[in-house]
Structure formats: C-alpha cells, structure tokens
Amino acid sequence: MAATILIVDDEEGIRLSLRGILEDEGYAVAEAASAEEGLSLAERLHPDMVFLDIWLPGMDGMAALEQFRARSPELPVVMISGHGTIETAVSALRCGAHDFIEKPLSLDKILLLVQHTLEMDALRRENKALRAAMEQGEESVIVGQSPAMLRFREELARVAPTDAWVLITGENGTGKELAARAVHRGSKRAAAPLVAVNCAAIPEELIESELFGHERGAFTGADGPRTGKFELAHKGTLFLDEIGDMSLKTQAKILRILEEQNFERVGGTRTIHVDVRVIAATNKNLEDAIRRGEFRADLYYRLRVFPLCLPPLRERGGDIPLLVAALAARLERRTGMKPPLFAPDALAAMSAWAWPGNVRELAHLVERMTILRAGAVVSAADLPPEMHTRPSPGAAGDAHAFLARLLASDMDFKRARAAFETYYLEAKLAEAGGNITRLAEAVGLERSYVHRKLKAARSAGGQTAHDKR
C-alpha cells in the first residue's frame, strides 16, 4: 500500500517538481494550491505526510498547521518556506511541525526526509499497537491443538496476510474478537488501528454517528464535530461485532459505504474516502435471518468473502488443559494472584463438561477457582456441582477403576483389548459431544469403522445416550 503525500503550495512549479520525484519513487501524491483546499483534501484522503508552504494566499501555512494538528495530531507536517529565518523555523517546530525546509528545494534531501519521516511514523504506530496489545493481554495466541482448532488456525493463517474481508461466526464466548485481532495482527495493516464496534450495544438512533461521525449541530447535543469509526480505522481494520443485530436501515447504509469506501458525516456534505479492511462477527445464523427478512442477502455475501467458524468449546475437550494453563497465566499477569493447580480429575471433569458459555465460561471458572483456591490444588470435588454430579466416561477415576477391573478379571488378552478399545471410544465420544464424525476425526479412524465398533459393543451391552449420527 503506497504512502500518500499531500503537497500544499501556491507555486505550481514546486508542486509539479515534488509530484514528479515522489511519484517516481512509488508514492501516491495529491496537491493543493491553498490551505483551505489542502485541509479539505486531507479530510478525504488521510495522507501519511504533508508538505505545507508557509506563505499561502488566504489562510497562511502557520494557521493551516494548527488546523492539521487539531484534526490529526500525529500527522507529520513538513513546512516549506522561501523566506526562511531561524525564528520562523523555531515557531513552526514549536507549533508541531515535523520539520522545516527552505526553497530552493534539494530533491535528494526531500527524498531522504520523506523516507525517514515515513519510517519513523511507521515505527511510532507499530510501538503504539504493541503497547495496546500488551495492555489487553493480546500477546497470547489462540490456544488449542484439537482437530477443530487446528483447522481453524490454518484457515486464519491463510486469510490474515491478504486484504480479504472476513466473516467470523460462532457461539457467544468462543473468542470471535480474539480471532479478529489475530487476523489483524497477521495482516499488512497490523501497524494501523484495529477499531472495534459492538453493533448490538449502540442505540439505533446513534449508530450512524458512531460509524460515520457527525458535524457540529447535526442533532441535539452535537456540540462539536466527531470522527466516526470508519475514519478512525483508515488504512487499518474495522471490526463489526454482532453484525446480525444491525437494523435493515443501517445495513443498507453500511452496504453502500462498504462498496464505495466513501461517506459523509451526519449533518455534513463533504465526502470522505477511507481505506479499511472489514472483519465482521456474529453469533447468529445469518442465512436464517435472511430467510426471515431480518438481514440483507447482499450485505451477507459482501461480508462473507472468507468465512471463519469458531468451534464451540464442547467440541474441543482435549484443549481444556491448554486453555486452563493459558487463562491462569493471563489472570496471574493481570492480578498478581497465584493460580491453583488443577488436578487430573478436575481437568477430566472439565473436559467432559458441555460448556454452554464456551471459553468465556471457562475463564470465569478459572478466575473463581483462583480466588477460592489460590496456590492450592483444585480437584473435581472443588468444581461446581453440575460438573461432577455424574462422572463422565474417560474421567481419571473412572479410567483407573476400569483398568483395575480388567486386570482383576479372567478375560483373555483379545477380549480385554476389545473391552478397553470400546471404553476408549465411548470416552472420546463423550468428549466429541456424542458426534461420531468428530470422534473419528479426533482418533484418526474411519467413521464406518468407529460406527461398527460402537454398534457391536452396544448390541452386546445396551444402547448408550451418545448414539448420535
């Protein structure tokens, strides 16, 4: 993505010279003959750097510098003067100019200045992004080695470096926002902002202002102009969470902006152009919502360039120990509390639990156990009653007892092996939520073979509650 440089100078020769050399180096260039025109262009184009002449007709360069700084405090502005003095240069730098150069311009010096300015700006944005990531605990990766999560992470790794738009689906608490942040971190836009919008949390009458911004006096209470989320995400990523909760009216406006990447603030007439990558997420079945007339099909297909579906935690039983360790470490960094040690029987009971609240529910349990048993051992008996009222197949205590019964029996080797194989498959079937297809994938066997083994065992020993297809 080429950097955009804005040249504001009333001398056409200066503008043409700068444009020529900068475009030869691969930069995108815009030019304006007045401060007013330059400020208007900056609103639309969001340049990465500005060359601003001090002596301009109408509004002069120093007044324009104040406007640029007020609107975009971190935008590098280099002042140009044909009548430079030390006092003028010092004044410009005190007012926030990035640098000061005199006419006639040295083209070699210009190129070196542009290179260093853009490199420093990129480094500043990267450091800012890293600090924000550390504050939010984002140094942790998406945890999981279950087949479902390995597939998910492989797909995420494929799409992240591209500019393709992504639609993330999954139940509440599965980690859709974490996945969106992982896509952004793996993209070419990682140093630019990731701006998140919770579409379900914004009142209908305010969502346009939230997304597009507003001008002063646009409505009661609009005491000054406001920059919307789309503008804030320029050259970065816009994360639209709970997109399924948008009204049809807002969906129509979003669709137009997504197609054109141009919009006007509420109460404004000036067209603003942005360059954003969009990641959307929802816990709803949008295809069902389309059939009910609650979601626009054209918006759905515009967002669903690359779909990612986060599996529920009940399909990731084998990931529980890894998740518990990661969540406990994150909690310790955040609070300083020493996490407990989760005993094997506790982890087995947690692995067999259905987790209706998914990873968020697990995080809350880890925090609760840390408060109650900080630095101690958590056994299955310490878990909430619903998690150990009925021991699950595959729990550590059950497995030990079953093995002891096998060793004490008079079975021959072939029968004992068959019995243990059946027990193993039933335990893994419980971890897979009763789904034989997921079980077969997890243990690396053909589905037909697993089905025959379980069917034969059940015919001999009675039907179980997990006979799902």
Side-chain angles (χ1 to χ4, degrees), residues 146-148 151 314-318 393-394 420-455 457-458 464 466-469:
S146 62
R151 284 194 300 272
R314 61 182 173 274
E315 296 181 6
R316 304 172 51 195
F420 186 83
E421 182 177 87
T422 299
Y423 180 90
Y424 172 83
L425 290 175
E426 288 284 1
K428 289 296 184 181
L429 183 61
E431 291 181 8
N435 188 295
I436 290 181
T437 300
R438 287 197 294 268
L439 163 63
E441 292 175 352
V443 299
L445 297 172
E446 291 291 332
R447 184 189 185 283
S448 57
Y449 174 83
V450 173
H451 178 63
R452 285 197 305 273
K453 295 292 290 186
L454 290 173
K455 185 176 181 181
R458 290 165 181 174
T464 76
H466 295 295
D467 193 14
K468 297 180 182 177
R469 300 294 181 266

Side-chain angles (χ1 to χ4, degrees), residues 165 212 230 246 249-261 296-303:
W165 292 7
F212 315 135
F230 269 94
M246 271 189 176
K249 177 183 175 183
T250 305
Q251 289 174 36
K253 294 189 176 183
I254 285 285
L255 179 63
R256 180 181 67 82
I257 291 165
L258 295 182
E259 293 286 356
E260 302 173 3
Q261 301 249 338
R296 294 179 61 108
D298 47 4
L299 177 58
Y300 172 67
Y301 291 113
R302 183 66 187 90
L303 293 171

Side-chain angles (χ1 to χ4, degrees), residues 149-264:
M149 284 308 295
L150 288 176
R151 284 194 300 272
F152 179 84
R153 286 161 55 192
E154 180 182 358
E155 292 176 355
L156 190 151
R158 286 179 180 274
V159 73
T162 74
D163 245 358
W165 292 7
V166 179
L167 177 62
I168 304 172
T169 57
E171 298 177 5
N172 280 332
T174 49
K176 295 187 290 296
E177 183 173 354
L178 182 62
R181 294 186 181 280
V183 172
H184 176 71
R185 284 200 306 274
S187 74
K188 295 174 289 186
R189 300 170 179 261
L194 169 68
V195 179
V197 181
N198 187 337
C199 301
I202 304 171
E204 166 65 23
E205 62 273 14
L206 295 179
I207 196 162
E208 287 186 56
S209 171
E210 187 75 15
L211 292 174
F212 315 135
H214 62 250
E215 299 292 355
R216 181 178 181 180
F219 50 81
T220 303
D223 299 327
R226 177 178 180 176
T227 303
K229 301 295 189 183
F230 269 94
E231 275 186 88
L232 293 174
H234 179 61
K235 295 193 176 178
T237 304
L238 181 69
F239 175 45
L240 298 175
D241 197 10
E242 305 300 350
I243 190 75
D245 291 294
M246 271 189 176
S247 70
L248 288 169
K249 177 183 175 183
T250 305
Q251 289 174 36
K253 294 189 176 183
I254 285 285
L255 179 63
R256 180 181 67 82
I257 291 165
L258 295 182
E259 293 286 356
E260 302 173 3
Q261 301 249 338
N262 292 317
F263 62 93
E264 295 82 38

Side-chain angles (χ1 to χ4, degrees), residues 46-326:
H46 300 277
D48 298 282
M49 180 177 177
V50 176
F51 283 103
L52 175 62
D53 191 15
I54 286 184
W55 304 102
L56 291 168
M59 181 189 298
D60 67 18
M62 294 300 289
L65 174 62
E66 291 184 14
Q67 290 289 318
F68 277 115
R69 297 289 298 163
R71 298 181 187 189
S72 303
E74 295 177 340
L75 174 64
V77 179
V78 175
M79 305 302 292
I80 304 175
S81 175
H83 311 280
T85 64
I86 293 176
E87 291 78 9
T88 305
V90 169
S91 177
L93 293 173
R94 282 179 175 172
C95 289
H98 175 77
D99 209 332
F100 183 94
I101 56 175
E102 295 181 73
K103 299 177 183 176
L105 303 178
S106 164
L107 298 185
D108 289 338
K109 183 178 179 181
I110 289 289
L111 288 179
L112 191 61
L113 174 61
V114 169
Q115 181 183 346
H116 287 171
T117 299
L118 294 177
E119 285 176 354
M120 289 298 295
D121 190 54
L123 183 61
R124 175 191 58 77
R125 287 186 282 111
E126 183 178 356
N127 287 338
K128 183 178 179 181
L130 287 172
R131 284 196 303 271
M134 291 180 66
E135 289 169 4
Q136 298 170 18
E138 291 293 330
E139 70 275 15
S140 60
V141 297
I142 296 178
V143 175
Q145 293 295 327
S146 62
M149 284 308 295
L150 288 176
R151 284 194 300 272
F152 179 84
R153 286 161 55 192
E154 180 182 358
E155 292 176 355
L156 190 151
R158 286 179 180 274
V159 73
T162 74
D163 245 358
W165 292 7
V166 179
L167 177 62
I168 304 172
T169 57
E171 298 177 5
N172 280 332
T174 49
K176 295 187 290 296
E177 183 173 354
L178 182 62
R181 294 186 181 280
V183 172
H184 176 71
R185 284 200 306 274
S187 74
K188 295 174 289 186
R189 300 170 179 261
L194 169 68
V195 179
V197 181
N198 187 337
C199 301
I202 304 171
E204 166 65 23
E205 62 273 14
L206 295 179
I207 196 162
E208 287 186 56
S209 171
E210 187 75 15
L211 292 174
F212 315 135
H214 62 250
E215 299 292 355
R216 181 178 181 180
F219 50 81
T220 303
D223 299 327
R226 177 178 180 176
T227 303
K229 301 295 189 183
F230 269 94
E231 275 186 88
L232 293 174
H234 179 61
K235 295 193 176 178
T237 304
L238 181 69
F239 175 45
L240 298 175
D241 197 10
E242 305 300 350
I243 190 75
D245 291 294
M246 271 189 176
S247 70
L248 288 169
K249 177 183 175 183
T250 305
Q251 289 174 36
K253 294 189 176 183
I254 285 285
L255 179 63
R256 180 181 67 82
I257 291 165
L258 295 182
E259 293 286 356
E260 302 173 3
Q261 301 249 338
N262 292 317
F263 62 93
E264 295 82 38
R265 291 177 179 171
V266 176
T269 57
R270 185 175 63 255
T271 299
I272 298 171
H273 173 75
V274 292
D275 169 23
V276 299
R277 181 189 195 178
V278 176
I279 301 175
T282 183
N283 64 345
K284 294 185 175 180
N285 186 320
L286 293 185
E287 292 180 351
D288 286 348
I290 290 170
R291 285 190 285 271
R292 294 192 301 268
E294 297 172 358
F295 201 84
R296 294 179 61 108
D298 47 4
L299 177 58
Y300 172 67
Y301 291 113
R302 183 66 187 90
L303 293 171
R304 193 180 179 270
V305 176
F306 195 98
L308 285 175
C309 182
L310 269 166
L313 189 53
R314 61 182 173 274
E315 296 181 6
R316 304 172 51 195
D319 288 339
I320 294 294
L322 294 173
L323 284 165
V324 168

